[in-house]
């Protein structure tokens, strides 16, 4: 597994290299110490995972992430950052990062996330079971195309993952904790409203101009995707 680490702090680079290779001896870790070099390396090589700092010399990590996504929409990107405000986290996911880990971080947690991504990257997908539908909403897991009433819905990578998770658990109430863990890979103790922010984004694209409404809030419990409208808060 080839990993690109874009990080300008030597101590953090050393920690990650030692910590990951202790458990993942098969990892091949390349290092870039600034944003421009990292972007160049990402464009010249095929990496299985990118670990990316935000505050970098040359080009900040969010801009690096945005540029990588122009040519490689699928490579998993884990953001490492000392910035821990909700708006910082939302900004990272708006740039199509896959996960966000705040500094200082525990190497065991980063190791677990890398292992999780390595397992997912080895999954073989099949075609028929990869079409999810509810009412007139269709999600094709192979092509990553989402449509409703025959109209293609353009989603960011994070919005797509959230919708896929909801559709895979249709008619089942899902808590915010579950969504944070499964969609963002975040620890459940993290205090953030990123789930609410992205559900609002998704509702505007999936439900606002269509009927029936499919994404519902079950007050005090979580969220559910289903056709039937009952006691849920529709806001």
């Amino acid at each position: 597994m080839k990993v690109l680490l874009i990080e300008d702090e030597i101590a953090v680079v050393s920690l990650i290299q030692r910590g990951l290779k202790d458990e993942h001896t098969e990892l091949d870790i390349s290092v870039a110490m600034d944003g421009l070099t990292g972007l160049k390396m990402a464009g010249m090589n095929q990496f299985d995972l990118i670990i990316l700092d935000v505050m970098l010399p040359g080009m900040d990590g969010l801009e690096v992430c945005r540029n990588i996504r122009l040519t490689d929409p699928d490579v998993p990107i884990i953001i490492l950052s000392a910035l821990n405000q909700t708006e910082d986290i939302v900004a990272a996911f708006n740039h199509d990062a896959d996960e966000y880990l705040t500094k200082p971080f525990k190497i065991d947690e980063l190791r677990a996330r890398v292992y999780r991504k390595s397992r997912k990257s080895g999954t073989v997908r099949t075609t028929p079971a990869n079409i999810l539908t509810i009412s007139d909403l269709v999600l094709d897991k192979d092509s990553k195309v989402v449509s409703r009433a025959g109209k293609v819905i353009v989603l960011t990578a994070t919005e797509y993952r959230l919708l896929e998770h909801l559709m895979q658990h249709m008619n089942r109430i899902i808590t915010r904790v579950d969504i944070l863990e499964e969609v963002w890979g975040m620890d459940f103790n993290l205090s953030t409203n990123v789930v609410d922010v992205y559900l609002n984004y998704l509702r505007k694209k999936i439900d606002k101009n269509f009927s029936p409404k499919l994404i519902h809030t079950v007050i005090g419990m979580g969220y559910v995707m289903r056709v039937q409208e009952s006691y849920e808060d529709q806001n």
Side-chain angles (χ1 to χ4, degrees), residues 83-100:
L83 304 174
N84 59 7
Q85 299 300 307
T86 296
E87 54 266 31
D88 300 315
I89 298 171
V90 170
F93 289 125
N94 279 339
H95 283 74
D96 286 343
D98 291 280
E99 297 194 14
Y100 195 101

Side-chain angles (χ1 to χ4, degrees), residues 17-171:
Q17 287 180 317
R18 292 196 316 269
L20 293 185
K21 286 194 173 183
D22 283 347
E23 292 289 330
H24 298 273
T25 55
E26 76 281 5
L27 289 184
D28 177 10
I29 302 177
S30 300
V31 177
M33 302 292 288
D34 65 82
L36 288 172
T37 301
L39 180 59
K40 183 177 180 180
M41 291 174 64
M44 294 176 62
N45 301 275
Q46 186 70 42
F47 290 99
D48 301 300
L49 175 72
I50 295 174
I51 301 173
L52 176 61
D53 188 17
V54 173
M55 294 182 288
L56 292 166
M59 178 183 290
D60 76 83
L62 297 187
E63 190 65 14
V64 173
C65 184
R66 186 186 70 81
N67 279 276
I68 290 173
R69 284 292 180 237
L70 295 176
T71 57
D72 192 345
D74 298 320
V75 61
I77 299 177
I78 299 176
I79 294 287
L80 293 180
S81 178
L83 304 174
N84 59 7
Q85 299 300 307
T86 296
E87 54 266 31
D88 300 315
I89 298 171
V90 170
F93 289 125
N94 279 339
H95 283 74
D96 286 343
D98 291 280
E99 297 194 14
Y100 195 101
L101 189 60
T102 57
K103 297 179 180 179
F105 61 91
K106 294 181 178 179
I107 192 63
D108 287 344
E109 183 176 359
L110 177 61
R111 188 185 296 130
R113 294 187 188 208
V114 170
Y115 177 62
R116 180 182 177 211
K117 291 299 179 185
S118 68
R119 286 189 304 165
K120 286 189 173 182
S121 65
T123 301
V124 178
R125 297 177 296 184
T126 57
T127 303
N130 279 357
I131 304 294
L132 302 177
T133 62
I134 177 171
S135 184
D136 56 354
L137 178 66
V138 179
L139 182 149
D140 187 325
K141 294 169 66 178
D142 287 324
S143 66
K144 309 296 185 189
V145 172
V146 174
S147 63
R148 184 153 191 198
K151 179 183 178 181
V152 173
I153 307 292
V154 179
L155 302 177
T156 66
T158 304
E159 291 168 348
Y160 175 87
R161 290 198 306 273
L162 176 57
L163 179 63
E164 181 180 23
H165 185 65
L166 291 171
M167 293 185 73
Q168 285 176 328
H169 299 85
M170 284 183 286
N171 301 312

